[in-house]
Amino acid sequence: MPSTLHEQLLAKLAPFFPGKETVGSYVGGELLAGSGAAIKLVDPATGREFLSYPDAGGELVARAARAAVEGQRAWAALTAAQRGRVMYEIGRVVRANLEPLAQLESLSAGKPIRDCRGEVTKVAEMFEYYAGWTDKLHGEVIPVPSGHMNYTRREPFGVLLLITPWNAPVFTCGWNVAPAIAAGNAVLLKPSELTPLSSLALASLAEQAGLPRGVFNVLSGHGHTTGQAAIACPAVKKVVFVGSPATGGKIAAAAAARGIPCVLELGGKSANIVFEDADLTRACIGAQSAIFAAAGQSCVAGSRLLVQRSIYDRFVAMVAEGARRLRTGSPLLPETEVGPIQNARQYGHVLAMIKAGLREGAQVAEGSDGQPAQEGFFVRPTVMKNVRNDMEIARTEVFGPVVVAIPFDTEEEAVAIANDSEFGLAGAVWTHDVARAHRVASLVKAGTFWINTYKVINVASPFGGYDASGYGRSSGTEALREYTQVKSVWVETSAHPAVAFGYAPGIGA
Ligand code: ADP
């Protein structure tokens, strides 16, 4: 029975890479060590280092780009229906490996095992959903006013760079890889340097399912080294990024310098609005899962709880009581509902934000006062009350299990507070008034909005942000548009076409 976390992890990784002891990058179907400095991984449940691996570095990036160009050719040479069958098989193989993948994710990223099982299941759904789209990506015939036939083709970009964060590693990997390859691209995936293992495993499983080598490459390493080298790579034609707004800005600037487009999926400070006529028991459960699931390390977390003043005290007390009962603990225990913060830097940020809230006059109704735990990066589910929307704790993304409760009087005020944020990722309203529910849904600026529910997302539905939460969409049919480019083809069909210098006659008539 393996004892240390290091040994346990290597044992979990071994079935995905038989005979290999290295943790590195997956390039052209091979697990390879990088040439950069060692990256040390720390167990968030204990704060102790458990693994180190080399940063991929520039040479491996160049090798991966060559492999991706080759891989994309092989992938595009298949018929669309064949590609669909491979993608469906990836979904099946992921389902067959649900438990090993979930355990690898839980151990290496410090996420509760119950969340990991759910997320791996979602990854299978992502490949299955896009499997059905591969042979439905057709263009249109445009009725142009001349003797030409004009039609469009949706073509892949070629090689895409996908940069993902540490909060939901395997989920964001599948979320971006599935539509990218369904559209006929190959990918370089640069997972967070803190959580590369589940992405490596997924790439290996995808090849086991029949994906040609080189279509799905994983570059494990830092953003400022490996990530930047990949953005600078001429083979990369588009960058898809999921992460913090500050890093998104750097990535967009580097991509703009090369004249290539980006999709940015950034943070949020989403408003969860509860009216006095709502089913308060359901709203309370919704408010808790909105912020405490994944220990609040979720871009769509309902981190601002806007509560009508008439029920403010009662409802905040209900949420606080619920928070008190949540089971915080080791990620691998099946009963754990709230795990640790994933890394030391983020942990410091969460504690500092709680302290900033207290300095500005907010009060802790339940949870942490900003003092560190005795061991590991744990923060108790925290409810802060008497918060104003101009306080830092209500404006800055905490990305931790901390909800701020803000009172409001009228619907108009609720909408104004919800929209008084630089972000626009998500939001929700709880009410029995159908007209109000749809009115508020239409008035709140957010890429995703929920009515009497929270945090349901599905690969079939478009997802993305307004304002500082980013641009572009990363799921549903919208993602297929993001991951393809449109070619317009003109065909002369007249028996006696006019040969003219400049615009052909008839156009614009
Ligand atoms: P956090 O700040 O919480 O660590 P980031 O948004 O910085 O999260 O990280 C998300 C992803 O962006 C990770 O894969 C990370 O390695 C990558 N990244 C960070 N900085 C850069 C950069 N300068 N260029 C490219 N990628 C980066």
Side-chain angles (χ1 to χ4, degrees), residues 161-166 190-194 221-229 231 241-248 250-251 254 266 343 345-346 399:
L161 170 63
L162 316 175
I163 301 180
T164 54
W166 45 258
K190 213 298 287 165
S192 168
E193 62 279 10
L194 301 172
H222 285 297
H224 64 277
T225 51
T226 295
Q228 285 291 323
I231 299 173
F241 171 73
V242 185
S244 64
T247 302
K250 287 184 202 158
I251 284 169
L266 309 175
N343 57 79
R345 189 159 63 89
Q346 183 60 24
F399 221 62

Side-chain angles (χ1 to χ4, degrees), residues 195-244:
T195 53
L197 301 189
S198 54
S199 299
L200 291 168
L202 196 56
S204 144
L205 288 181
E207 276 172 28
Q208 208 176 298
L211 192 69
R213 288 174 158 224
V215 177
F216 185 170
N217 305 279
V218 181
L219 292 163
S220 308
H222 285 297
H224 64 277
T225 51
T226 295
Q228 285 291 323
I231 299 173
C233 217
V236 168
K237 304 299 182 195
K238 187 163 186 172
V239 184
V240 181
F241 171 73
V242 185
S244 64

Side-chain angles (χ1 to χ4, degrees), residues 273-313:
I273 307 169
V274 183
F275 282 95
E276 61 189 5
D277 71 332
D279 177 333
L280 295 190
T281 305
R282 294 175 69 102
C284 177
I285 295 167
Q288 286 168 47
S289 72
I291 185 66
F292 300 133
Q297 301 166 105
S298 159
C299 52
V300 294
S303 50
R304 287 185 302 151
L305 182 61
L306 276 47
V307 187
Q308 201 154 24
R309 201 177 301 274
S310 52
I311 54 159
Y312 183 83
D313 289 338

Side-chain angles (χ1 to χ4, degrees), residues 175 372 380 394 477:
W175 189 252
R380 276 161 52 213
T477 53

